[in-house]
């Protein structure tokens, strides 16, 4: 019953032959067959595991068609995979996994935003960001929209909170570009493509039209189909296409929606977009019991609401400790439940009227406390973040070694209260007392989530009995949907016939045979003749490390990871670590194959997981339970770099000398660059790095000259009444000076001092500055003892300089400030550049915005401190046109990894140059990040303080100029 271990997946002969054939058409980096990455890339968010024999990453349609042809010639099954946030096992394969990597992200806005054409690698939230200037969005809005991709959204007909049945992919589809199993490409938005397809595949279209006529002619079946799709329904194929359309081309397109890659590959989709009303409000309404909650839902069906999300008492309990949650959660009666009610409008007036209408409906229903709507964006976002994170949050509190199961049913909404009570009783009867219920109440769509262990005797049988009864209850007794929006996958495939009946099930197999007669496209998904398929290949989740044991491998973290296109993502690092832990736990029971597998994983983990992790913590910002995989990586470095502890202590003890030495090396490199030129310098240093076995750092043309430290040794006066500020230049700004060729040749320290002086601050520079460090440089390498010692030393210094927190402390480097806020005395008022300038400096200056187009990079530390919007706001206050490159999160420079592991920086910033084309200069707030940004962006990057200084004058100076002119 357990999943296949990767140790048992030595490549079989047909796959070796396939690999050899594909090597003629695809580059080596697109053909992945080492055990570590097969395991890591083959994992999705479901509770199943299949380890592929080969992972292929085609870069375009031609390569994908080649892969399909070569697989078909050998009879090898293929599965298409986008983001892998799927919950039902539809993105897994023990054969060939075709994975979309960083490509497939093209888009085109059509009809002034009324439509958008998207390739399958575009993340859903990115599509909405593209449409935001037009006041539009795509219809589907799954909870994972910040991570899932368009390919998965369309292939699963994913819906979500506000989407309902009217705005899903099926209903908002305009055109489709699809590649069939035989490699044929059809683009329904291209008249020539359509004509060619009608000529070559006329028989297929004719057969689809025949099936449509027969289905519409069978009044009982046709009515059943119409009934099923009045509900949310993704069980089986989209049979509604056979009753909604008569032309074979229309039927084909709509069958592709929700087909989960079993009929073809969607290479582009054009959506008709929907309005995105700008004014939003939400309320958490609490009801004394579930029956009352369901009656309120039915009453709200006719009200002007955008979404109504149901949460039972257990679901509320799982998030009660989240910051910002209402105090009422702690005192709710045991049987209580809640509705998260969302109301939207085009303007304040419309929003107010709709809120009043909703309040009038709720006035007729008993509530635990008065219902209050919030328009505060922060609280509104908090409510929705918590609702979207319910599934992972529940998974986080499960017992170690258990998985978490989520199922996704829909009842006719008029019978929702009966259905909920019946479902709850089924869980109770089978001993699932920890199950929670939540979902999209307006559609009768409920998710039930529960922890499940499969290792103990009887657990698989208990789970099977539960699912058999749930299927009978929902699909037969209530005429509902067993899969409302998550896709059938492999866990509900054995129940499709039970829900739909024999004739509809036979029709689905006929459709499958038309498109994929050899059953090579994602076999076992949607349709399966294996009645126990849902009980096989179950994913093990052994204890690995308390830092990450809460992870349920949902994949929300992946979209922000800087190494996602290079090696592993946070989820994948955890997957591999768990497999190593499983093998380690076998102890003496490990056989030779296990030993070899463990050694292979450990060897690959050193680079794929540890060396190429930026440890930036952005994963924690996306993880619903706040897992920072960087902590796991640092612990690993700590355990495996113990032999470097002595060196770290010596560097920490003689830190001033170490920074002097670093500046000396920079000076030598700068001098050699001047003498040799960029081309020769790159060639020579590249050779030295190769000869050293990558032990020497990579020289970069953007590597700056050494900083002139003497500027901070000068006494600082005050030109105005802004008060005192302690200025702590980070070790990075004390080492790295300006970039060669940049018009701005002042160091960050000189710029900062000039700006503070201009704003009227009296600057205090701490004593013994050159020996100070926040400790991050040591902590990131796992040298915790030295890192803590340096932090303690800095803490004493800053307390003294600030008079025990009386004066604010400004650090010019955002990552260092974040580290300081996490480790130093709470009495210190610590600030990084963006927040300090916005709050305290800008009001004392007169700004003449820069007319040239500029770029901004929001560092990972700024994002973690919640300063992303403030960063962009500051830039827009100082420049008329600001570009924030999409899809680029952490730059991957990670202190020194831009020099020691430069491929991480290059991968993280892929596409930056194109995104900032036309910009004169870029700005950030970390000197090391700016080195990598300059290298890969093709424009100089400076501190955001340089921008503010360039466009500002003291307010009193402007007044004096005005008087003089008068």
């Amino acid at each position: 019953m357990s999943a296949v271990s990767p140790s048992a997946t030595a490549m079989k002969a047909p796959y070796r032959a396939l690999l050899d054939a594909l090597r003629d058409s695809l580059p080596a980096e697109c053909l992945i067959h080492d055990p570590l990455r097969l395991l890591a890339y083959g994992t999705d968010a479901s509770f199943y595991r299949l380890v592929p024999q080969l992972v292929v990453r085609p870069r375009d349609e031609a390569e994908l068609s080649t892969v399909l042809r070569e697989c078909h010639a050998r009879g090898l099954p293929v599965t298409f995979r986008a983001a892998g946030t799927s919950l039902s096992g539809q993105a897994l394969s023990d054969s060939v996994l075709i994975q979309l990597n960083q490509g497939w992200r093209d888009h085109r806005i059509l009809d002034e935003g009324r439509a958008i054409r998207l390739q399958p690698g575009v993340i859903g939230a990115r599509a909405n960001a593209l449409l935001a200037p037009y006041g539009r969005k795509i219809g589907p809005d799954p909870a994972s929209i910040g991570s899932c991709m368009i390919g998965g959204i369309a292939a699963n007909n994913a819906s979500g909170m506000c989407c309902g049945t009217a705005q899903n992919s099926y209903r908002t589809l305009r055109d489709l570009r699809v590649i069939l199993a035989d490699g044929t490409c059809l683009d329904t938005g291209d008249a020539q493509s359509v004509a060619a397809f009608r000529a070559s595949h006329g028989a297929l279209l004719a057969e689809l039209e025949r099936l449509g006529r027969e289905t519409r002619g069978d009044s009982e079946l046709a009515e059943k189909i119409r009934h099923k799709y009045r509900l949310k329904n993704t069980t089986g194929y989209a049979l509604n296409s056979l009753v909604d359309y008569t032309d074979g081309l229309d039927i084909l397109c709509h069958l592709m929606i929700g087909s989960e890659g079993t009929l073809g590959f969607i290479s582009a989709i054009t959506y008709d977009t929907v309005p995105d009303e700008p004014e939003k409000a939400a309320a958490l309404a609490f009801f004394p019991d579930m029956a009352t909650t369901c009656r309120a839902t039915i009453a709200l069906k006719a009200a002007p609401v955008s979404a109504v999300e149901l949460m039972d008492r257990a679901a509320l309990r799982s998030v009660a400790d989240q910051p910002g949650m209402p105090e009422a959660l702690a005192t709710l009666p045991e049987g209580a439940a809640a509705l998260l009610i969302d109301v939207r409008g085009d303007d304040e007036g419309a929003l107010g009227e709709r809120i009043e209408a909703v309040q009038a409906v709720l006035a007729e229903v008993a509530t635990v406390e008065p219902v209050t709507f919030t328009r505060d964006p922060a609280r509104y976002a908090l409510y929705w973040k918590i609702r979207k994170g319910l599934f992972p949050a529940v998974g986080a509190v499960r017992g170690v070694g258990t998985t978490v199961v989520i199922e996704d049913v829909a009842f006719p909404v008029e019978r929702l209260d009966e259905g909920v009570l019946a479902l709850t009783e089924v869980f109770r009867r089978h001993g699932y007392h920890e199950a929670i219920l939540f979902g999209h109440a307006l559609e009768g769509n409920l998710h039930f989530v529960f922890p499940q262990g499969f290792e103990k005797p009887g657990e698989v049988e208990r789970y099977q009995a539960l699912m058999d009864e749930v299927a009978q209850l929902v699909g037969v007794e209530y005429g509902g949907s067993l899969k409302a929006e998550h896709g059938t996958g492999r866990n509900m495939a054995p129940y499709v016939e039970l829900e739909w009946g024999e004739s509809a099930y036979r029709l689905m197999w006929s459709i499958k045979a038309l498109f994929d007669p050899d059953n090579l496209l994602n076999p076992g998904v949607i349709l399966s003749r294996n009645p126990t398929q849902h009980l096989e290949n179950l994913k093990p989740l052994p204890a690995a490390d308390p830092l990450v044991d809460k992870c349920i491998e949902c994949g929300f973290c992946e979209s922000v990871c800087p190494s996602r296109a290079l090696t592993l993502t946070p989820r994948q690092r955890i997957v591999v670590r768990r497999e190593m832990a499983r093998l380690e736990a076998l102890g003496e029971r490990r056989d030779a194959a296990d030993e070899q597998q463990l050694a292979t994983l450990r060897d690959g983990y050193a680079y794929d997981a540890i060396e190429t992790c930026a440890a930036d913590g952005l994963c924690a910002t996306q993880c619903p339970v706040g897992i920072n995989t960087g902590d796991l990586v640092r612990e690993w470095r700590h355990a495996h770099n113990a032999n470097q502890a002595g060196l770290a202590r010596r560097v920490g003890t003689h830190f001033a000398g170490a920074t002097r030495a670093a500046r000396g090396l920079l000076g030598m490199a700068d001098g050699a660059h001047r003498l040799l030129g960029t081309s020769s310098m790159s060639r020579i240093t590249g050779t030295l790095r190769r000869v050293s076995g990558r032990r020497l750092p990579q020289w970069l043309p953007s590597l700056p000259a050494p900083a002139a430290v003497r500027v901070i040794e000068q006494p600082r006066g005050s030109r105005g009444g802004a008060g005192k500020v302690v200025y702590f230049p980070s070790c990075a700004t004390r080492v790295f000076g300006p970039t060669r060729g940049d018009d701005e040749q002042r160091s960050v320290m000189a710029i900062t001092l000039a700006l503070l002086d201009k704003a009227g601050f009296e600057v205090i520079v701490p004593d013994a500055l050159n020996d100070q460090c926040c400790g991050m440089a040591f902590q990131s390498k796992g040298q915790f003892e030295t890192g803590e010692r340096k932090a303690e030393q800095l803490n004493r210094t800053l307390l003294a300089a600030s008079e025990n927190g009386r004066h604010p402390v400004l650090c010019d480097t955002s990552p260092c400030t974040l580290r300081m806020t996490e480790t130093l005395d709470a009495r210190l008022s610590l600030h990084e550049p963006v927040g300090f300038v916005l709050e305290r400096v800008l009001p004392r200056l007169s700004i003449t915005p820069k007319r040239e187009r500029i770029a901004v990079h929001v560092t990972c530390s700024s994002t973690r401190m919640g300063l992303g919007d403030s960063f962009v706001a500051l830039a827009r206050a100082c420049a008329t046109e600001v570009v924030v490159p999409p899809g680029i999160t952490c730059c991957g420079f990670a202190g020194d990894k831009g020099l020691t592991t430069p491929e991480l920086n290059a991968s993280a910033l892929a596409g930056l140059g194109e995104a900032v084309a036309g910009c004169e200069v870029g700005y950030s707030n970390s000197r090391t990040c700016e080195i990598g940004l300059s290298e890969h962006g093709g424009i100089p990057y400076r501190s955001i303080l340089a921008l503010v200084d360039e466009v500002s004058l003291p307010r009193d100076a402007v007044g004096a100029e005005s008087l003089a002119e008068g």
Side-chain angles (χ1 to χ4, degrees):
M1 297 294 182
S2 296
V4 176
S5 167
S7 60
T9 60
M11 184 174 283
K12 299 171 185 175
Y15 297 96
R16 287 199 299 271
L18 173 65
L19 179 61
D20 290 339
L22 292 178
R23 280 175 173 147
D24 294 334
S25 305
L26 280 78
E29 62 267 22
C30 295
L31 301 169
I32 296 155
H33 50 90
D34 62 280
L36 185 149
R37 289 187 295 166
L38 289 177
L39 169 67
Y41 296 170
T43 299
D44 71 0
S46 74
F47 56 95
Y48 298 101
R49 171 170 294 161
L50 292 171
V51 180
Q53 291 277 322
L54 180 65
V55 173
V56 185
R57 288 176 163 176
R59 296 166 299 176
D60 53 35
E61 291 179 341
E63 289 184 352
L64 188 136
S65 293
T66 297
V67 175
L68 288 178
R69 285 195 300 270
E70 295 291 350
C71 289
H72 186 269
R74 293 165 177 79
L76 299 177
V78 300
T79 294
F80 306 114
R81 162 81 170 269
T85 55
S86 47
L87 296 165
S88 304
Q90 57 265 63
L92 300 173
S93 175
D94 56 2
S95 180
V96 178
L97 185 68
I98 298 178
Q99 183 184 37
L100 302 184
N101 194 16
Q102 291 299 95
W104 304 90
R105 293 186 297 182
D106 285 349
H107 68 273
R108 189 187 312 159
I109 305 290
L110 304 170
D111 297 345
E112 297 183 336
R114 288 187 291 275
I116 187 170
R117 185 174 176 88
L118 298 161
Q119 283 195 314
V122 177
I123 290 175
R126 169 63 179 153
N128 285 341
L130 292 166
L131 290 165
Y134 303 90
R136 312 284 292 185
K137 63 178 181 176
I138 60 172
D141 62 335
S144 59
I145 196 166
S147 304
C148 65
M149 296 177 180
I150 292 298
I153 290 174
N156 291 292
N157 197 22
S159 46
M161 273 66 68
C162 302
C163 171
T165 56
Q167 296 181 349
N168 59 22
S169 294
Y170 182 94
R171 296 297 180 191
T172 58
L173 172 66
R174 178 180 288 194
D175 282 305
L176 202 65
R177 187 173 175 91
V178 62
I179 299 175
L180 300 183
D182 62 4
T184 301
C185 181
L186 164 66
D187 187 341
T188 64
D190 182 323
Q192 288 186 327
S193 176
V194 169
F197 190 81
R198 288 191 185 279
S200 64
H201 289 69
L204 170 63
L205 297 177
E207 189 64 13
L208 290 174
E209 290 170 359
R210 182 188 66 79
L211 289 177
R213 286 193 300 271
E214 290 182 358
T215 302
R216 292 188 299 274
D218 185 336
S219 58
E220 183 179 348
L221 177 59
E223 183 50 38
K224 183 171 189 175
I225 291 170
R226 292 187 182 99
H227 162 73
K228 300 290 281 184
Y229 287 101
R230 292 187 188 104
L231 310 175
K232 276 188 174 182
N233 191 346
T234 60
T235 308
Y237 289 121
L239 296 185
N240 47 341
S241 61
L242 297 172
V243 298
D244 292 342
Y245 300 97
T246 58
D247 185 272
L249 200 69
D250 290 329
I251 295 172
L252 183 153
C253 288
H254 288 83
L255 277 172
M256 286 294 161
I257 301 300
S259 64
E260 302 175 35
T262 64
L263 303 181
F265 173 78
I266 298 171
S267 64
I269 183 171
T270 302
Y271 281 110
D272 286 319
T273 62
V274 301
D276 184 16
E277 295 170 308
E279 301 299 327
K280 300 177 175 68
L284 268 179
F286 301 110
F287 302 89
D289 52 61
M290 182 60 75
T292 305
T293 309
C294 292
R295 286 196 296 274
T297 298
I298 295 169
L300 287 168
K301 185 74 174 173
V305 293
S306 295
V308 175
E309 294 292 302
L310 182 148
M311 291 170 274
D312 75 355
R313 186 68 184 92
L316 293 170
R317 192 178 297 114
S318 73
V319 297
D321 295 333
Q322 296 276 3
M325 288 301 288
E327 295 180 2
L329 282 184
T331 58
L332 287 177
E334 186 55 36
L339 295 177
L340 172 56
I341 305 168
D342 188 288
V343 179
R344 303 181 182 184
D346 285 328
D347 53 46
E348 283 285 343
L351 180 64
E353 290 176 4
R354 292 177 181 180
I355 290 174
E356 289 180 9
V358 173
Q359 294 278 28
V361 170
L362 294 176
E364 304 299 319
V365 184
T367 57
V368 173
E369 60 178 22
V371 177
T372 303
F373 279 85
T374 180
R375 304 189 192 194
D376 175 57
R379 181 163 289 273
Y380 176 91
L382 171 69
Y383 285 168
W384 275 112
K385 182 178 180 181
I386 289 172
R387 160 57 190 90
K388 292 179 180 182
L390 272 176
F391 163 50
V394 172
V397 297
R398 75 193 190 285
V400 174
T402 65
T403 188
V404 60
V405 176
I406 180 169
E407 280 305 342
D408 162 47
V409 301
F411 291 101
V413 70
E414 64 274 9
R415 300 187 68 188
L416 181 61
D417 52 345
E418 300 173 53
V420 168
L421 293 175
L423 198 56
T424 302
E425 173 57 23
V426 170
F427 286 128
R428 187 200 62 77
R429 191 160 54 250
H430 290 277
Y432 288 91
H433 303 295
E434 296 173 305
I436 73 166
L437 284 172
F438 61 92
H440 318 309
L442 286 181
E443 309 301 329
N445 178 194
L446 294 177
H447 306 317
F448 54 91
V449 180
F450 53 89
Q452 172 71 61
F454 290 112
E455 300 301 321
K456 294 181 180 179
E459 282 300 297
V460 171
E461 291 76 13
R462 182 169 76 114
Y463 173 71
Q464 181 178 14
L466 172 75
M467 294 309 299
D468 286 350
E469 190 165 347
V470 167
Q472 180 69 29
L473 173 75
V474 177
V476 180
E477 294 179 27
Y478 280 84
S481 308
L482 291 175
K483 298 298 289 189
E485 61 178 3
H486 293 168
T488 309
R490 60 184 61 252
N491 60 333
M492 205 54 78
Y495 296 103
V496 173
E497 183 174 11
L498 177 69
E499 176 179 331
W500 275 100
E502 182 182 354
S503 60
Y505 190 60
R506 187 168 58 248
L507 178 58
M508 291 182 190
W509 275 110
S510 298
I511 291 168
K512 174 68 170 174
L514 279 176
F515 286 90
D516 181 25
D518 298 313
N519 196 25
L520 297 180
L521 297 183
N522 217 1
V525 169
I526 294 186
L527 302 180
S528 174
R529 293 190 170 95
N530 177 359
T532 62
Q533 175 183 268
H534 60 307
L535 308 175
E536 301 170 3
N537 300 302
L538 303 171
K539 180 193 293 183
L541 288 176
D545 191 295
L547 292 169
V548 297
D549 282 339
K550 295 185 295 182
C551 174
I552 60 166
E553 302 176 9
C554 66
F556 284 15
C557 56
E558 294 191 331
S559 62
V560 297
C561 178
S563 62
R564 61 189 181 274
L566 178 65
T567 50
L568 302 182
T569 64
R571 165 169 64 172
Q572 293 162 354
R573 287 178 170 88
I574 294 170
V575 166
V576 179
R577 181 68 193 94
R578 281 174 166 162
E579 179 61 15
M580 290 192 293
R582 186 189 70 81
L583 292 169
E584 289 163 355
L586 292 175
E588 296 180 355
R589 291 177 292 143
R590 285 197 300 271
D591 59 22
D594 291 333
E595 290 285 359
Q596 180 181 359
Q597 178 69 8
L598 181 57
T600 299
L601 294 180
R602 284 174 173 168
D603 184 57
Y605 204 72
Y607 177 80
D608 287 347
I610 306 302
E611 186 176 344
T612 54
C613 178
D616 58 10
L618 280 183
C619 46
T621 67
Q622 301 299 303
C623 175
V625 293
I627 296 173
N628 183 345
T629 313
D631 292 338
L632 176 71
V633 169
R634 282 184 286 269
E635 289 286 352
W636 182 281
R637 290 170 181 167
H638 176 68
H640 290 77
N641 294 341
N643 60 335
Q644 299 176 16
L647 175 61
R649 281 193 296 272
R650 288 192 295 275
V651 172
T653 302
H654 304 286
F655 198 73
T659 55
R660 278 197 302 273
R663 286 194 295 272
L665 290 171
L666 275 178
M668 292 171 58
D670 188 53
H673 186 197
R674 273 199 311 270
L675 180 65
L676 298 172
T678 299
S679 179
S680 296
M681 188 73 173
S682 297
R683 185 174 64 254
I684 293 169
T685 56
T687 299
L688 290 173
R689 177 169 165 80
R690 285 193 300 275
V691 170
S692 73
R694 292 168 45 95
R695 292 182 180 87
L696 289 176
Q698 175 73 56
W699 177 83
L700 301 173
S702 60
L703 201 65
V709 184
R710 63 182 179 274
V711 67
I712 62 173
E713 297 169 353
Q714 301 167 7
R716 292 284 125 192
S718 172
R719 62 166 311 281
K724 295 181 179 181
V725 60
V726 177
Y727 170 40
F728 172 60
S730 72
C731 54
T733 53
R734 300 197 310 265
V735 170
F736 295 109
T739 302
R740 172 176 298 282
D742 189 358
D743 292 341
E744 176 58 83
Q745 284 297 299
R746 294 177 296 168
S747 69
V748 174
M749 293 174 289
I751 293 167
T752 306
L753 291 169
L755 182 62
L756 292 174
D757 184 62
K758 186 186 296 183
F761 285 92
E762 181 179 346
V763 180
I764 302 168
V765 177
D767 294 334
L769 178 65
N770 286 323
D771 198 39
Q772 305 298 325
C773 172
C774 68
M776 183 176 63
F778 300 96
Q779 184 241 14
S780 66
K781 292 177 171 54
Q783 301 300 334
F784 299 149
E785 179 186 347
T786 302
E788 290 168 6
R789 187 161 53 83
K790 295 305 291 183
E792 291 168 0
Q793 178 187 7
L794 178 62
N795 192 63
R796 292 191 297 270
T797 299
L798 293 181
L799 281 172
S802 68
E803 300 181 31
N804 290 325
R806 180 180 177 187
H807 309 302
V809 177
L810 171 65
C811 177
D812 54 23
T813 302
S814 176
C816 297
T817 312
L818 176 60
R819 159 79 176 171
M820 290 157 63
T821 61
E822 294 172 339
T823 57
L824 302 193
D825 197 303
R827 288 175 290 173
L828 292 169
S829 176
L830 298 165
H831 302 268
E832 55 76 61
V834 169
F836 189 81
V837 170
L838 268 177
E839 295 170 15
R840 306 195 182 202
V841 175
L842 218 59
R844 305 184 64 83
L845 301 174
S846 176
I847 303 295
T848 303
K850 190 178 178 75
R851 291 186 174 278
E852 293 84 358
R853 191 181 193 208
I854 68 165
V856 164
H857 174 73
V858 179
T859 55
C860 51
S861 48
S862 295
T863 299
R864 289 179 62 191
M865 288 188 283
L867 291 169
D869 291 341
S870 297
F871 203 131
V872 177
L874 177 58
R876 287 180 174 153
C878 298
T880 56
E881 188 174 1
V882 177
V883 173
V884 183
I888 292 177
T889 52
C890 171
C891 70
F893 206 92
D896 63 352
K897 284 203 171 293
L899 306 175
T900 60
T901 315
E903 62 272 27
L904 174 61
N905 185 221
S907 180
L909 295 181
L912 177 63
E914 181 182 353
V916 301
C919 293
E920 178 194 70
V921 65
Y923 296 95
S924 191
N925 59 0
S926 169
R927 188 68 194 97
T928 51
C929 295
E930 290 152 18
I931 297 170
L933 292 162
S934 299
E935 181 70 20
H936 297 288
I939 58 174
Y941 271 79
R942 307 168 189 158
S943 169
I944 188 70
L945 297 170
L947 173 63
V948 181
D949 185 56
E950 179 186 350
V951 301
S952 64
L953 288 172
R955 282 199 180 275
D956 56 357
V958 174
E961 287 178 8
S962 299
L963 287 172
E965 291 172 2

